[in-house]
Amino acid sequence: MIVPLPAHVVDDLVRRTLAEDLGLAGDVSTDTAIAAGAHGVAEIVARHAGTVAGLDVALAVFPAVDRAVTAAAQVAEGDRVGAGSVLARVQGPTRALLTGERAALNLLGHASGIATATRAVVDAVAGSGARIVDTRKTTPGLRALEKHAVRCGGGHNHRFGLFDAVMLKDNHLIAAGGIAPAVAAVRAQVGHTVHIEVEVDHLGQVHEALAAGADSILLDNLGDDDLRTAVGLVAGRAITEASGGITPERAAAVAATGVDVISLGWLTHSAPRLDVALELLPSDGS
Amino acid sequence: MIVPLPAHVVDDLVRRTLAEDLGLAGDVSTDTAIAAGAHGVAEIVARHAGTVAGLDVALAVFPAVDRAVTAAAQVAEGDRVGAGSVLARVQGPTRALLTGERAALNLLGHASGIATATRAVVDAVAGSGARIVDTRKTTPGLRALEKHAVRCGGGHNHRFGLFDAVMLKDNHLIAAGGIAPAVAAVRAQVGHTVHIEVEVDHLGQVHEALAAGADSILLDNLGDDDLRTAVGLVAGRAITEASGGITPERAAAVAATGVDVISLGWLTHSAPRLDVALELLPSDGS
Amino acid sequence: MIVPLPAHVVDDLVRRTLAEDLGLAGDVSTDTAIAAGAHGVAEIVARHAGTVAGLDVALAVFPAVDRAVTAAAQVAEGDRVGAGSVLARVQGPTRALLTGERAALNLLGHASGIATATRAVVDAVAGSGARIVDTRKTTPGLRALEKHAVRCGGGHNHRFGLFDAVMLKDNHLIAAGGIAPAVAAVRAQVGHTVHIEVEVDHLGQVHEALAAGADSILLDNLGDDDLRTAVGLVAGRAITEASGGITPERAAAVAATGVDVISLGWLTHSAPRLDVALELLPSDGS
Amino acid sequence: MIVPLPAHVVDDLVRRTLAEDLGLAGDVSTDTAIAAGAHGVAEIVARHAGTVAGLDVALAVFPAVDRAVTAAAQVAEGDRVGAGSVLARVQGPTRALLTGERAALNLLGHASGIATATRAVVDAVAGSGARIVDTRKTTPGLRALEKHAVRCGGGHNHRFGLFDAVMLKDNHLIAAGGIAPAVAAVRAQVGHTVHIEVEVDHLGQVHEALAAGADSILLDNLGDDDLRTAVGLVAGRAITEASGGITPERAAAVAATGVDVISLGWLTHSAPRLDVALELLPSDGS
Amino acid sequence: MIVPLPAHVVDDLVRRTLAEDLGLAGDVSTDTAIAAGAHGVAEIVARHAGTVAGLDVALAVFPAVDRAVTAAAQVAEGDRVGAGSVLARVQGPTRALLTGERAALNLLGHASGIATATRAVVDAVAGSGARIVDTRKTTPGLRALEKHAVRCGGGHNHRFGLFDAVMLKDNHLIAAGGIAPAVAAVRAQVGHTVHIEVEVDHLGQVHEALAAGADSILLDNLGDDDLRTAVGLVAGRAITEASGGITPERAAAVAATGVDVISLGWLTHSAPRLDVALELLPSDGS
Amino acid sequence: MIVPLPAHVVDDLVRRTLAEDLGLAGDVSTDTAIAAGAHGVAEIVARHAGTVAGLDVALAVFPAVDRAVTAAAQVAEGDRVGAGSVLARVQGPTRALLTGERAALNLLGHASGIATATRAVVDAVAGSGARIVDTRKTTPGLRALEKHAVRCGGGHNHRFGLFDAVMLKDNHLIAAGGIAPAVAAVRAQVGHTVHIEVEVDHLGQVHEALAAGADSILLDNLGDDDLRTAVGLVAGRAITEASGGITPERAAAVAATGVDVISLGWLTHSAPRLDVALELLPSDGS
């Protein structure tokens, strides 16, 4: 069961996407070539196999163009679908189907691309106990949708922003005089529900981070052997996260080191879209 | 000289990107670990070679976090840069440098990824006379930035949305009873500055489109031989555009057919980001 | 068939118009003098003959005040109506009818005033082949509605803004070193769907504009004889537009010169409103 | 001394006007034909005599396009100016001057048209003691600017909306069972600073309105004789307002009846714009 | 019958309150612990006796979370309720009930706290003829809701802001050279529906304010004897308002002085909330 | 050192507060009674002793009214001040000082009221090791400011919303079939940085919550003895939070039970404002 996007996020994405595509003049092609009274039925199909995400928000596009459109999902968020699968059926005024097409497909294709990429990595580490998580390397304005897409792909979310968890990196540690004083300063000020993660870039810092009481330790750019050693050092006293240049190909090896969490910026900043299309069904001749 | 983004677009992108990352609580890591009075200097660097886009909007992030930050670009939009190049220098309160880092890099990396991908294709067709253009397959909310990035990469923009040019596709043509009546209906209603492009998917439609007075003809999913034939049929009486499944690798062959314009959705929906980073410079010990 | 306003434009106009009239305290007259339970039926009538525009957006005002109101148009956008015509019937809570009255009428009267003015000029040039078009001299915030109104009056739209077509005026031409280099510079940079219009203010520039490849030539402030000469010089190789101080009275003479397009700023910046009113029907005594 | 527009209203008008004209692509003519480094000086001039309004908001357009522009008013809000008068001097990047031109002129021309129309009526009733006031028949989204323009023309403002004063019309009076119960019901509920005006359409209602304690009495569509009689009946116990079909030409006669206030919807819904232009000064050849 | 909040104010409050509580990730507790298909019924109850305000806006929260929720008020705005009273019944998806709970209760509890405090003071002055009114000392962003709550408690509203009535305080009077010139300057410029209130802080100024033609006189920080004297001096020629440090306890004594209006900032800036709760009913076992 | 509000939150609060108070017509009292050229100096003073919060946002009000105003804080966020203390000095156009006064004071007084209330409770538990924290019972639209105010008073923040930490209450536990399955379901789905708190209402549930792996245990409405017992049972394996009906008076006793965190909704929903004022200094007579 995938945690859904909040309604106000869906509304905002739909409104913004449509306003960008329609501007003030609207769909001049459709409004001048297609009769206002024409009705049609269309299917949204996946042209390649993948994992679905963003279908709910994509389908919300059509009634926002014209309330007379009804849209029915044929698959659920997070479902794996084969090439040619029908993802949804949309019907109503033909104009609205064509006008909403690109906005809907851009939302769906982008999110499903991320879900598909995530699913591949999640599958690659299956059985290992390691979680695949996203980062804050998201596309501006789309963090909620992209993190939802990661969930649809079987991944988990890292923090949503600078506001909901602490991550102490090099610069924080240097400025604060080391791991111990940094964690202490932060712990003293943040709320008791705020998780503190410390980034370390060599094994020597792992003990420091543990001693300082870090909730998680981000093992940045370590090789697989060092990751395995680090996991042993930590021994369950903190959550271990591997990060930094982890490609989908390398994920399984990293998972085998025993880390709890593997984060990949690539999922949200560079996954190619899933190819999806809207096909207007021929009206029957009866 | 690259056409810049309008000021209100820059402001809106910056505000939205920061609000998404900072939420209501702000950067709890930095605000609790770094002293308010600390000042620093940072460089934004490219970790891989590429073409720069989005630097202006990325640099606008920092003064939006704290007016005391100054940012100076070291390269211009559209410049090609090598791995390790310094793109900009930013200085001011250390907190603001760290707080704005990810928002700035996400904007810059996304846009520069598109510019870099575009540049590669533009270079591949150099000398051919063919233009590389984008499509409406953009990331929701980022069309202005992405089309700007395509310009930075040496490409050109196709229409910005449904509002600023006509594109008549299958469904429009069927609904209107063919190319001639479709173009006639549209021409009668749209303004005289509105360009009309007709999508054809086999050579037989090219004459029809010409006869109907199309300004451009989109040759959809044709092979190179058919493209060459179509260009000959058109003989300069309309602009010819090749589209549909054109990979960067195939672009040069397509350009050699003589088409005027080659459009690739891939540029904006699937180009991987350019790897960029912010490096805080060590303060000198003097 | 008039191209309609996009749904998000209608919603935004309604919301903004109501917020401006209701503020935070609402309709204190109606809310304190009229019982909450009272229901009524009202008609929106034209007090003078004219051409209707903005009826859709005007009727959307009432359900935005109170979802219980239903509104039914009795005429269509673009219809010519006589004095006393009933344009729509609205029924529901009396409070909502009175509260929405002025917002609805201001939208309708403003747009219909423009449609009516446009219709008069369009009628004046009937049979000539010349199109009557608007300009960018619109009322701030209302460009979409006003350009829609021009369409309702039988006119056509010039470009919507600075973004969707090129117009090269004196200052551009001087700065770029003349018509030829200006057009060349622009053509090299803008997308292939962008129409380029060049403004000329004497006959000598017509050949230059043609030679430069202008798509349209704006003949600014020329007398009728010069307009006729220009049309002959152009001989169909570009679209000709007459502009500058063209009053409704002069339009027919200008049309007779053979120009393709006649633009009048007056349509949108100075047309008087159409007098429209909302009349609450007496409830029957039964 | 004219009451100025609040800063947030100015900012909002400027932002909205520019966004509408620039869209996402910006000023493609200027950005491709004019060099980024070019600087210029321009004057905003009145082509016809009139009264100035909206100059402050018009000048705020340019720095919103590019912070490097400086603008200096040469006249003040409310000043009467002759044809050819220089209203302001603007200098900075030539691109920004041309890009902001139409947005600025549309704001200025619209507001100054209203101020000029108001001034003519105010002058026509000079010496009579009657005030010229506006109505709620304003252009959607521009009420603040238009009411400011009326002030610039020497007029006064009627209520700003449904929220800041009570106006009881026919429908309110019928629904509430007459003038006395209507005023009583309203007075019992609204705050003590809320002014109550009652609309009467024949002399017989004047005593009722007075007896009910109306603060103002709107004499709707009465002839001059009836207006004079009404003023006598009221005898200073309430403010008298003449309204309904009062043309600028008839205003003096109405004022001579002794009414305190004359309201004209025409000022804001149908005043033609004042013709204003931006002229780029030739750069000197030195 | 309480004047309701305008629909756009309700929508805006609901949207803002929910966005603040849900952020981009939504209700992670409920979405992961409660099944999507679960349905429930809940009651909103008052845990203490009080006066209800904000119930309409509170109930609008739930359908904004999920359109499938229906909410039915059991009491009306302004009703007095005892501890344990059921104020509303809400049913639909259990997730939406839990997700909207806090947003709804925060709106309801805040507004009802103000209504309850107002009601107590209104009751304390019952029979005196004095009105209890609010001030502009409201919580930022909530003025409309808080002034509505005061009405629900039987109070009346003072001006809504700086825009809808004049209040001349010390600093205005000093700057303008005294009461008479201040009122004259203001009266000459503001519209005829604008009420002018003058603040006086000793009895000597009462005659001045009356002579200047003030509509209301605010008697600031006067003792009860001075208030009684001032009321006698005014003798019905202006509205008298007592203000400044008036506690609920002192209100009755102040009312006994004969003042028309008593204003208390405390009502909106310091009234404690009414304790309200949402109780999910046990599903029956059938 | 208090974590500051993000710049975009400050901007938004200032804009919203001013727009609410100024509307479209602005400050009609000041703009008609005070000369545009008048300049002044004012002090913001505390009329009662308290703890300062919201001074930064309050001072940002004035330049938003008029950029010519400068404001200088005399104390810092979180400072304790005595009655009569000068908190800031503001100087510039007199109009802007008076126009911004109420907006600034409403922000400052509200936030400082919360800080002052928090400080009293924090002081009451000093030495105990217990933290005083807020809840989600905040005033709609002001959560960021109010949680900042709690920090200024020496308190800490509980979660900001439904999005940044999990709190499992009765209804969640029942619906999920108990504490163990509820925590398991949530833990499996939420990100690794998400803190999970479980609410228990009797001692018997404490072991269950511990066994389930709760990060924190909220001890709801337990008496002091039960709290002490619970703390012993938990023995440091989770964070303990006391909640429910904890008055400022009872806080010390609760703290003495050894709980880690004490949460009080009262801090944000019912703390009275701190009395603050703006005093315009007399201009010297020289």
Side-chain angles (χ1 to χ4, degrees):
Chain A
M1 217 44 202
I2 313 290
V3 173
L5 286 169
H8 75 280
V9 173
V10 171
D11 289 348
D12 189 55
L13 279 169
V14 167
R15 190 192 53 68
R16 209 203 296 161
T17 306
L18 276 174
E20 188 182 58
D21 203 24
L22 292 174
L24 297 178
D27 182 354
V28 289
S29 309
T30 296
D31 288 342
T32 57
I34 308 281
H39 276 68
V41 181
E43 288 176 345
I44 296 180
V45 297
R47 291 205 172 139
H48 289 98
T51 294
V52 175
L55 188 57
D56 292 349
V57 66
L59 296 185
V61 163
F62 296 100
V65 174
D66 186 330
R67 247 163 285 178
V69 181
T70 56
Q74 306 296 314
V75 299
E77 298 283 274
D79 279 3
R80 300 177 198 224
V81 296
S85 300
V86 174
L87 309 185
R89 208 174 166 85
V90 192
Q91 65 183 62
T94 307
R95 282 186 175 181
L97 303 184
L98 297 178
T99 297
E101 173 181 356
R102 179 51 42 211
L105 297 179
N106 283 355
L107 287 161
L108 176 62
H110 184 73
S112 297
I114 292 170
T116 301
T118 304
R119 172 53 61 194
V121 186
V122 169
D123 287 352
V125 304
S128 71
R131 284 181 167 199
I132 300 303
V133 309
D134 49 39
T135 66
R136 283 171 48 247
K137 296 182 178 177
T138 56
T139 316
L142 295 176
R143 189 164 289 170
L145 179 66
E146 294 185 347
K147 288 197 168 253
H148 170 74
V150 167
R151 296 194 299 268
C152 288
H156 285 78
N157 295 324
H158 210 304
R159 60 175 178 164
F160 262 67
L162 295 167
F163 55 86
D164 63 336
V166 165
M167 173 72 77
L168 296 172
K169 304 192 180 183
D170 282 30
N171 293 318
H172 299 102
L173 301 176
I174 292 166
I179 292 177
V183 172
V186 171
R187 188 73 80 191
Q189 296 178 75
V190 299
H192 70 279
T193 66
V194 178
H195 188 98
I196 300 179
E197 183 155 356
V198 172
E199 181 181 304
V200 304
D201 50 19
H202 60 84
L203 289 173
Q205 293 175 299
V206 171
H207 276 302
E208 276 183 82
L210 279 174
D215 297 307
S216 292
I217 301 177
L218 186 146
L219 304 156
D220 193 40
N221 279 313
L222 298 196
D224 294 352
D225 289 346
D226 278 359
L227 286 174
R228 196 170 293 110
T229 306
V231 169
L233 291 172
V234 172
R237 287 170 293 169
I239 296 168
T240 51
E241 174 182 350
S243 184
I246 299 177
T247 57
E249 294 70 29
R250 194 186 148 214
V254 172
T257 65
V259 294
D260 300 305
V261 173
I262 303 173
S263 59
L264 297 94
W266 184 88
L267 298 178
T268 51
H269 67 59
S270 295
R273 83 190 268 270
L274 182 68
D275 193 0
V276 287
L278 179 138
E279 296 175 356
L280 207 57
L281 302 188
S283 53
D284 60 42
S286 61
Chain B
M1 216 45 203
I2 314 290
V3 173
L5 285 169
H8 75 279
V9 173
V10 171
D11 289 348
D12 189 56
L13 279 169
V14 166
R15 189 191 53 69
R16 208 202 298 161
T17 307
L18 275 174
E20 189 181 57
D21 203 24
L22 292 175
L24 297 178
D27 182 355
V28 289
S29 308
T30 296
D31 288 342
T32 57
I34 308 280
H39 276 68
V41 181
E43 288 177 345
I44 295 179
V45 297
R47 290 210 171 133
H48 290 98
T51 295
V52 175
L55 188 57
D56 291 350
V57 65
L59 295 186
V61 163
F62 296 100
V65 173
D66 186 331
R67 247 163 285 178
V69 180
T70 57
Q74 306 296 314
V75 299
E77 297 284 272
D79 279 3
R80 300 177 199 225
V81 297
S85 300
V86 175
L87 309 185
R89 208 173 165 85
V90 192
Q91 65 184 64
T94 306
R95 282 186 175 181
L97 303 184
L98 296 179
T99 297
E101 172 181 356
R102 180 51 42 212
L105 296 179
N106 283 355
L107 288 161
L108 176 63
H110 184 73
S112 297
I114 292 171
T116 300
T118 304
R119 173 51 62 194
V121 187
V122 169
D123 288 352
V125 305
S128 71
R131 284 180 167 199
I132 299 303
V133 310
D134 49 38
T135 66
R136 283 171 46 248
K137 295 182 178 175
T138 55
T139 315
L142 294 177
R143 190 165 288 171
L145 179 66
E146 294 185 345
K147 288 195 168 256
H148 170 74
V150 167
R151 299 193 299 268
C152 289
H156 284 78
N157 295 325
H158 209 304
R159 60 176 177 161
F160 263 67
L162 295 167
F163 55 86
D164 63 338
V166 165
M167 173 72 77
L168 295 172
K169 305 194 180 181
D170 283 28
N171 292 318
H172 299 102
L173 301 177
I174 292 167
I179 292 178
V183 173
V186 171
R187 188 74 81 192
Q189 296 178 76
V190 300
H192 70 279
T193 65
V194 177
H195 189 98
I196 299 179
E197 183 154 356
V198 173
E199 181 180 305
V200 305
D201 50 18
H202 60 84
L203 288 174
Q205 293 175 299
V206 171
H207 277 301
E208 276 183 83
L210 279 174
D215 298 307
S216 292
I217 301 177
L218 185 146
L219 305 157
D220 192 40
N221 279 313
L222 299 195
D224 293 353
D225 289 345
D226 278 358
L227 286 175
R228 197 171 292 110
T229 305
V231 169
L233 291 171
V234 172
R237 287 171 293 170
I239 296 169
T240 50
E241 174 181 350
S243 184
I246 300 177
T247 57
E249 294 70 29
R250 195 188 147 212
V254 173
T257 66
V259 294
D260 300 306
V261 172
I262 302 172
S263 58
L264 299 93
W266 185 87
L267 299 177
T268 51
H269 68 57
S270 295
R273 83 191 269 271
L274 182 69
D275 194 1
V276 288
L278 179 139
E279 295 175 357
L280 207 58
L281 302 189
S283 53
D284 60 42
S286 60
Chain C
M1 216 45 202
I2 313 291
V3 173
L5 285 169
H8 75 280
V9 173
V10 171
D11 289 349
D12 189 55
L13 278 169
V14 166
R15 190 193 51 68
R16 209 203 295 160
T17 306
L18 275 174
E20 188 181 58
D21 203 24
L22 291 175
L24 297 178
D27 182 354
V28 288
S29 309
T30 296
D31 288 343
T32 56
I34 308 281
H39 276 68
V41 181
E43 289 176 345
I44 295 180
V45 297
R47 291 208 172 135
H48 289 98
T51 295
V52 174
L55 189 57
D56 292 350
V57 64
L59 295 186
V61 163
F62 296 100
V65 173
D66 186 331
R67 248 164 283 177
V69 181
T70 57
Q74 306 296 314
V75 300
E77 298 283 274
D79 279 3
R80 301 178 198 223
V81 297
S85 301
V86 174
L87 308 185
R89 207 172 166 85
V90 192
Q91 66 185 62
T94 306
R95 282 187 176 181
L97 303 185
L98 297 178
T99 297
E101 173 181 356
R102 179 52 42 212
L105 296 180
N106 283 353
L107 288 160
L108 177 62
H110 184 72
S112 297
I114 291 171
T116 300
T118 304
R119 173 51 62 193
V121 186
V122 169
D123 288 352
V125 303
S128 72
R131 283 181 167 199
I132 299 303
V133 311
D134 49 38
T135 65
R136 282 171 48 247
K137 296 182 177 176
T138 56
T139 316
L142 295 177
R143 189 165 288 169
L145 179 66
E146 294 186 345
K147 288 195 169 256
H148 170 72
V150 167
R151 298 194 299 269
C152 288
H156 284 78
N157 295 326
H158 209 305
R159 61 176 176 162
F160 262 68
L162 294 167
F163 55 87
D164 64 336
V166 165
M167 173 72 76
L168 297 172
K169 305 192 179 183
D170 283 28
N171 293 318
H172 299 103
L173 302 176
I174 292 167
I179 292 177
V183 173
V186 171
R187 187 75 80 191
Q189 295 178 75
V190 299
H192 70 279
T193 65
V194 178
H195 188 98
I196 300 179
E197 183 155 356
V198 173
E199 180 181 304
V200 304
D201 50 18
H202 60 83
L203 289 174
Q205 292 175 300
V206 171
H207 276 302
E208 277 183 81
L210 279 174
D215 297 308
S216 293
I217 301 178
L218 185 146
L219 304 158
D220 191 40
N221 279 313
L222 298 195
D224 293 352
D225 289 346
D226 278 359
L227 286 174
R228 196 171 292 110
T229 305
V231 170
L233 290 172
V234 172
R237 288 171 293 169
I239 296 169
T240 51
E241 174 182 350
S243 184
I246 299 178
T247 57
E249 294 71 28
R250 195 186 148 213
V254 172
T257 65
V259 294
D260 299 307
V261 172
I262 302 173
S263 59
L264 298 93
W266 185 87
L267 299 177
T268 50
H269 67 58
S270 295
R273 82 191 268 270
L274 182 68
D275 193 0
V276 287
L278 179 139
E279 296 175 357
L280 207 58
L281 302 188
S283 54
D284 59 43
S286 60
Chain D
M1 216 47 202
I2 314 291
V3 173
L5 285 169
H8 75 279
V9 172
V10 171
D11 289 349
D12 188 56
L13 280 169
V14 166
R15 189 191 53 68
R16 209 203 296 160
T17 306
L18 275 173
E20 189 181 56
D21 204 25
L22 292 174
L24 297 178
D27 183 354
V28 289
S29 308
T30 296
D31 288 343
T32 57
I34 308 281
H39 276 67
V41 181
E43 288 175 346
I44 295 180
V45 297
R47 291 207 172 138
H48 289 98
T51 295
V52 174
L55 188 56
D56 292 349
V57 64
L59 295 186
V61 163
F62 296 99
V65 174
D66 186 331
R67 248 163 286 177
V69 181
T70 56
Q74 306 296 313
V75 299
E77 298 283 273
D79 279 3
R80 298 177 200 224
V81 297
S85 301
V86 175
L87 309 185
R89 210 174 164 85
V90 192
Q91 67 184 60
T94 306
R95 283 185 174 182
L97 302 185
L98 297 178
T99 297
E101 172 181 357
R102 179 52 42 212
L105 296 180
N106 283 354
L107 287 161
L108 176 62
H110 183 73
S112 297
I114 291 170
T116 301
T118 304
R119 172 52 63 193
V121 187
V122 169
D123 288 352
V125 304
S128 71
R131 284 181 167 198
I132 299 303
V133 310
D134 49 38
T135 67
R136 282 170 47 245
K137 296 182 178 176
T138 56
T139 316
L142 294 176
R143 188 164 288 169
L145 180 64
E146 294 185 345
K147 288 194 168 255
H148 170 74
V150 167
R151 296 194 300 268
C152 289
H156 284 78
N157 295 325
H158 209 305
R159 60 177 177 162
F160 263 67
L162 295 167
F163 54 87
D164 63 337
V166 165
M167 173 72 77
L168 296 172
K169 304 193 181 182
D170 281 31
N171 293 318
H172 299 102
L173 301 176
I174 293 166
I179 291 178
V183 173
V186 172
R187 188 75 80 192
Q189 296 178 75
V190 299
H192 70 280
T193 66
V194 178
H195 188 98
I196 299 179
E197 183 155 355
V198 173
E199 181 181 303
V200 304
D201 50 17
H202 60 82
L203 289 173
Q205 293 175 300
V206 171
H207 276 302
E208 277 183 81
L210 280 174
D215 297 308
S216 293
I217 301 177
L218 186 145
L219 305 158
D220 192 40
N221 279 314
L222 298 196
D224 293 354
D225 288 346
D226 278 359
L227 287 174
R228 197 170 292 110
T229 305
V231 169
L233 290 172
V234 172
R237 286 170 294 170
I239 296 169
T240 52
E241 174 181 351
S243 184
I246 300 178
T247 57
E249 294 71 28
R250 194 186 148 214
V254 173
T257 66
V259 295
D260 299 307
V261 172
I262 302 173
S263 59
L264 298 93
W266 185 88
L267 299 178
T268 51
H269 67 58
S270 295
R273 82 190 269 271
L274 182 68
D275 193 1
V276 287
L278 180 140
E279 295 174 358
L280 208 58
L281 301 188
S283 53
D284 60 41
S286 62
Chain E
M1 215 48 200
I2 313 291
V3 173
L5 285 169
H8 75 279
V9 172
V10 171
D11 289 349
D12 189 56
L13 278 170
V14 166
R15 189 192 53 68
R16 207 202 298 160
T17 306
L18 275 174
E20 188 181 59
D21 203 25
L22 292 174
L24 297 178
D27 182 354
V28 289
S29 308
T30 296
D31 288 343
T32 57
I34 308 279
H39 277 67
V41 181
E43 288 176 344
I44 295 180
V45 296
R47 291 206 171 138
H48 289 98
T51 294
V52 175
L55 188 57
D56 292 349
V57 64
L59 295 186
V61 163
F62 296 99
V65 173
D66 186 330
R67 247 163 285 178
V69 181
T70 56
Q74 305 297 313
V75 298
E77 298 283 273
D79 280 3
R80 299 177 199 223
V81 297
S85 300
V86 175
L87 309 186
R89 208 173 165 85
V90 192
Q91 67 184 61
T94 306
R95 282 186 175 181
L97 302 185
L98 297 179
T99 297
E101 173 181 356
R102 178 54 40 215
L105 296 180
N106 283 354
L107 287 160
L108 177 62
H110 183 73
S112 297
I114 292 171
T116 301
T118 304
R119 173 50 64 194
V121 186
V122 169
D123 288 352
V125 304
S128 71
R131 285 180 166 199
I132 299 303
V133 309
D134 50 37
T135 66
R136 284 171 46 246
K137 295 182 179 176
T138 56
T139 315
L142 294 177
R143 189 164 289 170
L145 179 66
E146 294 185 345
K147 288 196 168 253
H148 170 74
V150 167
R151 297 194 298 268
C152 289
H156 284 78
N157 295 325
H158 209 305
R159 60 177 178 161
F160 262 68
L162 294 167
F163 54 85
D164 63 337
V166 164
M167 173 72 76
L168 295 173
K169 304 192 180 182
D170 283 29
N171 293 318
H172 298 103
L173 301 176
I174 292 167
I179 291 177
V183 173
V186 171
R187 187 76 80 191
Q189 296 178 75
V190 299
H192 69 280
T193 65
V194 177
H195 188 98
I196 299 179
E197 183 156 356
V198 173
E199 180 180 305
V200 304
D201 50 17
H202 59 84
L203 288 174
Q205 292 175 300
V206 171
H207 276 301
E208 276 183 81
L210 279 175
D215 296 308
S216 293
I217 300 177
L218 186 145
L219 304 157
D220 193 40
N221 279 313
L222 298 195
D224 293 352
D225 288 346
D226 278 358
L227 287 175
R228 196 170 293 111
T229 305
V231 170
L233 290 173
V234 173
R237 288 170 293 169
I239 296 169
T240 51
E241 174 181 351
S243 185
I246 299 178
T247 57
E249 293 71 27
R250 193 186 148 213
V254 173
T257 66
V259 294
D260 299 306
V261 172
I262 303 173
S263 59
L264 300 92
W266 185 86
L267 299 178
T268 51
H269 67 58
S270 295
R273 83 191 269 270
L274 182 69
D275 193 0
V276 287
L278 180 139
E279 295 175 358
L280 208 56
L281 302 188
S283 54
D284 60 42
S286 62
Chain F
M1 215 46 200
I2 313 290
V3 173
L5 285 169
H8 74 280
V9 172
V10 171
D11 289 349
D12 189 55
L13 279 170
V14 166
R15 189 192 52 68
R16 206 201 300 160
T17 306
L18 275 174
E20 188 181 57
D21 203 24
L22 291 175
L24 297 178
D27 182 354
V28 289
S29 309
T30 297
D31 288 343
T32 57
I34 308 280
H39 276 68
V41 181
E43 288 176 346
I44 295 179
V45 298
R47 291 209 171 135
H48 289 97
T51 295
V52 175
L55 189 57
D56 292 349
V57 65
L59 296 186
V61 164
F62 296 99
V65 174
D66 186 331
R67 248 163 284 179
V69 181
T70 56
Q74 306 296 314
V75 299
E77 298 284 272
D79 279 4
R80 299 178 199 221
V81 297
S85 300
V86 175
L87 309 185
R89 208 173 165 85
V90 192
Q91 66 184 63
T94 307
R95 282 186 175 181
L97 303 185
L98 296 179
T99 297
E101 173 182 355
R102 178 55 38 214
L105 296 180
N106 283 353
L107 288 160
L108 176 62
H110 184 72
S112 297
I114 292 171
T116 301
T118 305
R119 172 52 62 194
V121 186
V122 170
D123 287 352
V125 304
S128 71
R131 284 181 165 198
I132 299 302
V133 310
D134 49 38
T135 66
R136 283 170 47 245
K137 296 182 178 176
T138 56
T139 316
L142 294 177
R143 189 165 289 170
L145 179 66
E146 294 185 345
K147 287 196 169 255
H148 170 73
V150 167
R151 298 194 299 268
C152 289
H156 284 78
N157 295 325
H158 209 303
R159 59 176 178 163
F160 263 67
L162 294 167
F163 55 87
D164 63 336
V166 165
M167 172 73 76
L168 296 172
K169 304 192 180 183
D170 282 29
N171 293 318
H172 299 103
L173 301 176
I174 292 167
I179 292 178
V183 173
V186 171
R187 187 74 80 192
Q189 297 179 74
V190 300
H192 70 280
T193 65
V194 177
H195 188 97
I196 299 179
E197 182 155 356
V198 173
E199 181 180 303
V200 305
D201 50 17
H202 59 84
L203 288 174
Q205 293 174 301
V206 171
H207 276 301
E208 278 183 81
L210 279 174
D215 297 307
S216 293
I217 301 176
L218 185 145
L219 305 157
D220 192 40
N221 279 314
L222 298 195
D224 293 352
D225 288 346
D226 278 358
L227 287 174
R228 196 170 292 111
T229 305
V231 170
L233 291 172
V234 173
R237 288 170 293 170
I239 296 170
T240 51
E241 173 182 350
S243 185
I246 299 179
T247 57
E249 293 70 28
R250 195 187 147 212
V254 173
T257 66
V259 293
D260 299 306
V261 172
I262 303 172
S263 58
L264 299 93
W266 185 86
L267 298 177
T268 50
H269 66 58
S270 295
R273 82 191 269 271
L274 182 67
D275 193 1
V276 288
L278 179 138
E279 295 175 357
L280 207 58
L281 302 189
S283 53
D284 61 41
S286 61

